[in-house]
Amino acid sequence: MSRLLSYICGLLVAIIMLSSCSQGDRHVVILFTNDTHSQIEPLEANAKRNADMGGVERRKVLIDSLRSVYPHALLVDAGDVVQGTPYFNFYAGEVETMVMNELGYDVRTLGNHEFDNGGEALTAMLAAFDGVTVSTNYDYNNKALREEVVPSCILSAGDVKVGFVGLNVNPQGLLFPAHAKDVVYNNPIAAADSVALLLRNEGADIVVALSHLGYTADSEDNTDVIDSVLVQNTRYIDFVVGGHSHTTLQEAAYHTNLDGRSIAIGQTGKSGAYLGFADITIPADKRVAMSVEYRLMPVDARYDERIDANFSARLAPYKAKVDSAMSVVLGSADDTMYVARPASPLTNWACDAFVDIARQRSGKKIDFAVINTGGVRVDIMPGDVTRGSVWKAFPFTNYMSIVQLKGSDVKQLFEQIANNGGEGVSSEVRLAIQEGKVKQLTIGGKAVDDNSTYNIATLNFVAEGGDGMVAFNKALSRTDYPGFVYELFEGYITNMSQQGKTMRAINDNRITVENN
């Protein structure tokens, strides 16, 4: 018996042993992913988290094997299928959509990054998707996009009818304003419960919420709905497949709904390192509660021997182009350039580089730089720095903006940064945060003068108030400079290398945090 078959059989035996099922009970198996973020290939062998895990070829082996045991299983996704690797930069969602079709996804909802290239590009992606796209709490101003999504659906899984709702995150601060105009956000609680009740009345045996709301809040004062709040304020949802917060729930999280039922929430983390598995039992006795056998199944090298050659052949032309372009060595790094809050070597380096680039481009004095930590996605490892490592670290199609703010608004900006727990700032800044508030702030060694003006280098996403930094909306002036950020840094690192310099940055306490 192969290792894979042994694994699947072991899983089946465990589920049978753990389940206390009566005759007439029905089952439905939900396989799920979230936040796969264009991770077509396995994660790198030296990755800090989930090294050498994931990869769509391995995922297909696992899904196909599970379907041989559970032929009526439904495969679903909770959003952010795209953005995060050069595959999206090169192919704008074409590869990810082909993969979803090949793997046989039945239904999906939308994450915020599905909107990164705008409504027209998203419409094209969804039109090419073979499954159903559900979006329950967004209204769409874009007619073409509106035609590609439905507020809910019911799918048959053997003798079980499964209703699906799709719950989408508040776009404020997450989508570019130009892209956010395509959608109108409605509170997901009311939308979810009312539509879930309709699905019940239309014959759904259970209702599954595909949620891109997040298991945890983005910030301490976040007032938006997260998955636990959703469950606690609804009646008709039976299982939640979560996304957005990149939370790896090895065990399902349970919260009590308005009727006192315990509802399971699942989430697989990010980048396709795990496949979610939920076997939901619908008891014949209506007095008995539904139950969920839940687990995350690692997508790892055990599946390499079973990879589908035809699927690999479809991926090969895309992979060859990406590999060729991304393998170019630009320079080198002395140490691990990791990304974290409140400050870290990679965000420090990026902001210091932004000050240099902005000075060169504008010829102006630049007082400091700010880059949102969420805009820097992965670490850069020591040794050769390739184009691919830079594009993965800075994958978004942001460009550089120089914004002029009054000193009083600079103070407001840093209050927002403190509330976020820190963001990337350049070496001119010294910020002390205490309990989410600014305790002390200097720019260039001096206190901020309310009546002075400051030139700030940042990303256009941040300049538009992204990640809650809405003080930028009070700009006295703003100048945008062409060229995607990953291209700016590519040129900057190349010039450094030609001068015999390496990437180097340390934690120099430019931001410190006190909790009491």
Side-chain angles (χ1 to χ4, degrees):
M1 181 182 291
S2 72
R3 287 179 295 170
L4 176 62
L5 184 56
S6 176
Y7 181 79
I8 299 299
C9 289
L11 174 65
L12 180 58
V13 169
I15 290 171
I16 292 171
M17 292 178 65
L18 288 169
S19 301
S20 55
C21 302
S22 303
Q23 188 174 8
D25 291 352
R26 292 177 294 160
H27 288 264
V28 60
V29 169
I30 307 292
L31 309 178
F32 58 93
T33 53
N34 59 273
D35 299 278
T36 51
H37 283 296
S38 300
Q39 191 66 49
I40 303 301
E41 302 176 46
L43 290 154
E44 295 179 357
N46 60 359
K48 184 168 62 176
R49 182 181 301 175
N50 298 327
D52 193 34
M53 290 181 66
V56 297
E57 293 164 288
R58 294 170 175 173
R59 197 193 315 163
K60 187 176 189 301
V61 176
L62 177 55
I63 290 168
D64 289 348
S65 299
L66 287 165
R67 282 189 172 128
S68 70
V69 179
Y70 308 101
H72 301 300
L74 296 175
L75 178 60
V76 306
D77 185 86
D80 277 2
V81 171
V82 298
Q83 187 62 272
T85 75
Y87 281 92
F88 186 61
N89 302 96
F90 272 77
Y91 298 109
E94 176 185 340
V95 184
E96 296 87 339
T97 304
M98 181 272 285
V99 166
M100 293 190 83
N101 291 339
E102 285 287 322
L103 272 58
Y105 276 81
D106 296 290
V107 59
R108 69 190 290 185
T109 195
L110 301 176
N112 47 295
H113 287 294
E114 265 74 38
F115 292 86
D116 278 1
N117 287 346
E120 184 176 342
L122 175 55
T123 300
M125 274 197 294
L126 298 184
F129 175 52
D130 291 342
V132 181
T133 302
V134 291
S135 176
T136 307
N137 65 305
Y138 279 177
D139 292 327
Y140 291 90
N141 296 320
N142 181 317
K143 181 181 178 182
L145 182 56
R146 188 165 62 241
E147 292 177 352
E148 297 300 334
V149 297
V150 294
S152 64
C153 69
I154 296 176
L155 300 181
S156 293
D159 60 354
V160 178
K161 292 185 177 180
V162 184
F164 288 95
V165 293
L167 304 178
N168 310 117
V169 69
N170 189 338
Q172 184 176 4
L174 290 175
L175 272 61
F176 283 110
H179 300 164
K181 66 179 176 58
D182 285 330
V183 301
V184 176
Y185 171 78
N186 300 303
N187 185 285
I189 291 174
D193 222 24
S194 61
V195 174
L197 177 59
L198 287 174
L199 292 171
R200 292 277 195 176
N201 292 335
E202 291 172 3
D205 296 300
I206 64 170
V207 177
V208 175
L210 305 182
S211 163
H212 202 78
L213 304 175
Y215 183 72
T216 55
D218 291 332
S219 62
E220 291 184 3
D221 70 341
N222 189 299
T223 58
D224 294 333
V225 176
I226 58 175
D227 290 336
S228 57
V229 176
L230 172 77
V231 168
Q232 292 160 6
N233 289 277
T234 55
R235 285 189 165 87
Y236 304 108
I237 291 169
D238 300 297
F239 180 58
V240 178
V241 176
H244 185 56
S245 56
H246 300 176
T247 308
T248 304
L249 292 175
Q250 291 288 358
E251 296 181 357
Y254 285 87
H255 292 269
T256 303
N257 75 359
L258 287 175
D259 287 337
R261 292 194 297 134
S262 186
I263 304 300
I265 300 170
Q267 195 180 147
T268 68
K270 68 182 290 285
S271 301
Y274 294 92
L275 177 73
F277 175 98
D279 183 351
I280 302 172
T281 300
I282 306 168
D285 186 344
K286 301 297 184 183
R287 297 168 297 178
V288 178
M290 292 183 189
S291 62
V292 179
E293 296 295 341
Y294 170 97
R295 68 201 68 237
L296 296 189
M297 305 178 69
V299 180
D300 55 28
R302 81 184 75 191
Y303 304 115
D304 287 351
E305 296 177 2
R306 297 278 302 277
I307 282 174
D308 184 332
N310 291 329
F311 183 45
S312 295
R314 290 205 64 183
L315 288 169
Y318 300 110
K319 186 176 185 296
K321 180 176 178 178
V322 169
D323 286 351
S324 176
M326 294 299 109
S327 62
V328 175
V329 176
L330 308 175
S332 63
D334 291 345
D335 301 297
T336 300
M337 309 281 286
Y338 66 87
V339 54
R341 281 192 171 94
S344 63
L346 189 50
T347 54
N348 288 354
W349 178 88
C351 290
D352 292 345
F354 239 43
V355 170
D356 285 345
I357 294 168
R359 286 170 179 163
Q360 294 166 10
R361 288 289 186 96
S362 69
K364 297 179 180 178
K365 176 181 181 291
I366 303 299
D367 294 290
F368 63 96
V370 173
I371 290 179
N372 61 317
T373 303
V376 189
R377 302 303 279 192
V378 298
D379 304 342
I380 291 179
M381 306 308 293
D384 287 345
V385 176
T386 63
R387 179 180 288 144
S389 59
V390 173
W391 283 39
K392 289 175 184 177
F394 306 95
F396 304 118
T397 53
N398 293 312
Y399 45 85
M400 185 178 70
S401 298
I402 297 178
V403 179
Q404 190 175 75
L405 286 180
K406 286 178 57 178
S408 56
D409 296 324
V410 168
K411 288 181 178 179
Q412 182 190 359
L413 169 66
F414 279 96
E415 288 292 352
Q416 292 158 359
I417 289 173
N419 182 65
N420 288 352
E423 300 286 0
V425 296
S426 59
S427 61
E428 293 81 8
V429 174
R430 289 294 182 271
L431 171 66
I433 301 172
Q434 185 175 50
E435 295 182 348
K437 305 289 185 181
V438 173
K439 179 181 178 182
Q440 188 173 5
L441 171 66
T442 60
I443 307 292
K446 298 179 182 179
V448 176
D449 180 354
D450 285 353
N451 297 314
S452 294
T453 57
Y454 293 81
N455 291 323
I456 307 160
T458 190
L459 305 172
N460 64 309
F461 173 74
V462 176
E464 293 169 4
D467 273 355
M469 289 183 271
V470 296
F472 278 112
N473 294 335
K474 299 180 180 180
L476 300 173
S477 67
R478 171 181 161 186
T479 306
D480 296 329
Y481 292 83
F484 296 139
V485 168
Y486 49 79
E487 295 171 333
L488 293 181
F489 285 146
E490 181 181 331
Y492 188 79
I493 295 167
T494 300
N495 288 336
M496 287 176 57
S497 180
Q498 291 170 350
Q499 297 171 35
K501 299 177 181 178
T502 59
M503 288 182 72
R504 178 181 298 173
I506 59 172
N507 276 326
D508 55 5
N509 294 318
R510 60 187 67 176
I511 299 181
T512 59
V513 176
E514 303 173 20
N515 293 319
N516 52 49

